[in-house]
Amino acid sequence: PLLRPRITVPAGWSLSNDVPYPDGLAQHDPEGAGFLHCISSVNFIDEVRISYEKAQVSSYNDSSLIAQAETLFRNNAVAFGLVDTGIEQVAGATAGYAKGLNELANRTYVFKVFVKENYFFVVAEIYESTPLSYQQVTTLTNSLSLENLQNPTPSSYDPSPTPTSTPNDGGGYT
């Protein structure tokens, strides 16, 4: 089974859900996925959802990554208008992204899809359209690491809002 990736949860944020692999819904892996859900305890509309599963191929080309991010966006972010798609570096990997805005609610919704080592990641960032919220979700997403992984024990997670390095949470997207 895949081990939970590490993330750094910023001050004022918490890991609110942690579903271990393979108990979550997957995009491609027939065995399942893991899922992490982090929320801001300062600005409750800011959240990052990270789904991870075993990559079924070693890499995707840029257009495939963008197409997958766009499909996820269209299926899950119906209240947001799609404003941009493309390729960017995320946590040291090439990711396809689809970004939308809900100007009435002043919120941004971004799906990012990428392969890192033998993991396939889907990241959803939902946040207030402000520089601070953008910086926090981007920092959290870019903290994804597969270095020195080990399965955490229930006592190894400290829910305090101080920055900690913790692994994943699994849920998934349809």
Side-chain angles (χ1 to χ4, degrees):
L2 295 178
L3 297 177
R4 178 172 29 169
R6 293 186 182 279
I7 56 171
T8 301
V9 178
W13 284 68
S14 64
L15 178 62
S16 66
N17 194 6
D18 181 1
V19 177
Y21 176 88
D23 296 341
L25 299 172
Q27 294 297 309
H28 304 290
D29 186 344
E31 293 188 39
F35 180 77
L36 295 163
H37 184 209
C38 297
I39 59 171
S40 170
S41 54
V42 176
N43 184 352
F44 294 103
I45 66 170
D46 292 352
E47 60 181 295
V48 175
R49 302 173 190 167
I50 302 165
S51 177
Y52 64 94
E53 59 192 77
K54 183 183 271 184
Q56 302 301 296
V57 297
S58 60
S59 67
Y60 290 95
N61 63 36
D62 291 357
S63 60
S64 177
L65 291 169
I66 293 168
Q68 290 185 67
E70 212 173 309
T71 297
L72 286 162
F73 182 90
R74 292 190 192 287
N75 291 340
N76 293 281
V78 294
F80 292 77
L82 182 65
V83 296
D84 192 23
T85 61
I87 292 294
E88 68 178 303
Q89 288 299 117
V90 176
T94 300
Y97 72 88
K99 177 181 179 179
L101 298 175
N102 181 324
E103 292 183 20
L104 210 55
N106 194 35
R107 296 188 71 197
T108 302
Y109 202 140
V110 183
F111 273 97
K112 298 178 180 181
V113 177
F114 59 97
V115 173
K116 186 171 182 169
E117 296 179 25
N118 65 328
Y119 286 68
F120 176 81
F121 287 97
V122 173
V123 176
E125 301 170 338
I126 305 131
Y127 56 94
E128 186 176 19
S129 300
T130 65
L132 177 60
S133 290
Y134 169 78
Q135 182 268 331
Q136 288 181 332
V137 298
T138 301
T139 298
L140 195 153
T141 299
N142 281 322
S143 77
L144 268 169
S145 171
L146 300 173
E147 302 292 318
N148 303 313
L149 298 183
Q150 51 188 309
N151 277 326
T153 59
S155 63
S156 70
Y157 171 64
D158 176 7
S160 66
T162 56
T164 57
S165 182
T166 59
N168 73 21
D169 146 321
Y173 304 94
T174 57

